[in-house]
Amino acid sequence: GINAEYMEAVVSTQSTWKQWYQRRVHGSSGINAEYMGDRFQVVYCLCSLPYWSYITVHTTVADNDYIDSSVDLFPGNDWLEREQFDMFGIFFKDHPDLRRLLTDYGFQGHPLRKDFPLTGYEECRYDDTVKRIVYEPLEITQSTWGC
C-alpha cells in the first residue's frame, strides 16, 4: 500500500509540481481488483487548476490491510475515503471520521465488493403498523414465467 509520507514525497519531488502544488484532489476511487494480486486498488487523481494538469497515483491494498489516510494532505478527500470505506471496506488509517457515508449504520457488508450478493442480505421498508422503518431477511421467490 501507499502511506502518507510516500504520497507527500511523490507530490513534492516533482519539479514542476512544486511550483503549482495546491493540495487539490480531483478524485479518489476504489477498484475491486482481485486479479492484480492485492484485493483493492486506490487511485488518486491530483490536479492543478492554473496549469490544467493531472497526476494520477495508483496503489494497491490487501483485503484486511489498511492504507494511510490522505486527508491531512488533501482535506477534500475526506468524504471520498469514507465512501471507499463504506462501499469496499478499504480501511484508511488515521482518518479523522471513518464511518459509513452512503449506507445505514447497521448495514452488513460492503456493496461494491465482488463477493457481495446482488440482492443483499436484508430488505428495508416502512411499516405502517409500527410507524417506523423495519429490516427483514431478504426472501427471493424464483420467477415461474415460461414454465
Side-chain angles (χ1 to χ4, degrees), residues 24-51:
R24 292 184 187 216
V25 62
H26 179 69
S28 174
S29 62
I31 301 170
N32 195 352
E34 294 175 290
Y35 59 88
M36 297 182 69
D38 285 334
R39 174 78 190 252
F40 303 105
Q41 184 178 31
V42 178
V43 181
Y44 295 96
C45 298
L46 313 173
C47 74
S48 166
L49 295 178
Y51 293 95

Side-chain angles (χ1 to χ4, degrees), residues 33-86:
E34 294 175 290
Y35 59 88
M36 297 182 69
D38 285 334
R39 174 78 190 252
F40 303 105
Q41 184 178 31
V42 178
V43 181
Y44 295 96
C45 298
L46 313 173
C47 74
S48 166
L49 295 178
Y51 293 95
W52 199 252
S53 298
Y54 294 90
I55 293 177
T56 305
V57 179
H58 297 253
T59 186
T60 59
V61 61
D63 193 5
N64 291 318
D65 204 357
Y66 65 87
I67 184 171
D68 285 349
S69 176
S70 64
V71 172
D72 290 341
L73 194 57
F74 305 105
N77 215 22
D78 183 15
W79 282 37
L80 299 172
E81 287 183 357
R82 286 183 59 191
E83 179 183 8
Q84 290 175 56
F85 167 71
D86 193 8

Side-chain angles (χ1 to χ4, degrees), residues 88-122:
F88 292 101
I90 300 172
F91 183 75
F92 291 90
K93 182 180 173 189
D94 298 326
H95 190 280
D97 186 21
L98 193 62
R99 58 189 164 106
R100 292 201 178 265
L101 180 66
L102 301 174
T103 59
D104 190 30
Y105 292 117
F107 190 84
Q108 297 294 317
H110 303 282
L112 292 183
R113 285 182 175 224
K114 298 238 184 235
D115 57 357
F116 190 79
L118 294 177
T119 57
Y121 297 110
E122 59 187 6

